[in-house]
Amino acid sequence: MSVPTLEQFQHQVSELLLRHRSLLDVMSKHGQAGASVNRAVAKAVTECGCIGLHARRQEFTDNLELEQAKSQFENHMEGQLCEHCRDVLQAELGKSLFYMSALCNLLQISMDDVVAHESEKCATLGIFNLT
């Protein structure tokens, strides 16, 4: 089975979305899906414990080279997602992507164009993008 392109996925979403045709409905569902992603990450930490957080201030000095700075910064995460939490997060991310695609459809925005524009911006701005 081949992986569908963003364009194919976006078309598939447009064919499937029946109940939430209102822009406001899709916006609220997209927000809810994003919150569910965050909740699934929180549950992986607090209920399962397969990942942990150890957050603290990132130390940065002006005299560091870019590659040194990249290797010095931490993601504050310890451990790895277990299979169950990975499956849950994958499902929640899929819902979020579904509603993002629905939002793009309603606003007549191509997801391919969004990715291409963001990629071009990253390539042009490089480290100065800092998103």
Side-chain angles (χ1 to χ4, degrees):
M1 182 175 172
S2 66
V3 176
T5 65
L6 284 175
E7 182 180 2
Q8 291 167 332
F9 179 70
Q10 194 169 352
H11 178 72
Q12 184 179 26
V13 168
S14 73
E15 295 295 316
L16 294 175
L17 195 65
L18 299 174
R19 282 186 60 208
H20 304 287
R21 283 280 191 206
S22 161
L23 179 61
L24 292 176
D25 285 344
V26 171
M27 286 173 43
S28 66
K29 292 298 281 184
H30 182 249
Q32 186 178 33
S36 293
V37 169
N38 294 343
R39 180 70 180 134
V41 172
K43 285 177 126 181
V45 174
T46 61
E47 287 185 15
C48 177
C50 58
I51 59 173
L53 296 175
H54 182 73
R56 62 177 192 265
R57 183 175 184 264
Q58 299 275 14
E59 297 295 327
F60 181 78
T61 58
D62 291 337
N63 60 351
L64 280 180
E65 295 291 324
L66 177 60
E67 290 305 315
Q68 288 176 314
K70 282 182 184 179
S71 67
Q72 182 176 336
F73 288 141
E74 300 177 23
N75 65 12
H76 299 143
M77 190 177 83
E78 298 169 346
Q80 292 185 337
L81 290 171
C82 68
E83 187 176 338
H84 171 73
C85 290
R86 179 177 302 282
D87 290 345
V88 169
L89 264 160
Q90 208 166 4
E92 296 300 346
L93 287 165
K95 287 178 196 171
S96 183
L97 187 59
F98 179 92
Y99 285 109
M100 179 188 295
S101 179
L103 190 59
C104 286
N105 285 339
L106 289 173
L107 297 170
Q108 298 178 348
I109 295 173
S110 162
M111 289 178 71
D112 282 325
D113 291 347
V114 171
V115 171
H117 177 75
E118 192 63 24
S119 179
E120 184 179 315
K121 188 172 91 173
C122 288
T124 301
L125 296 176
I127 187 169
F128 298 106
N129 193 33
L130 294 180
T131 56

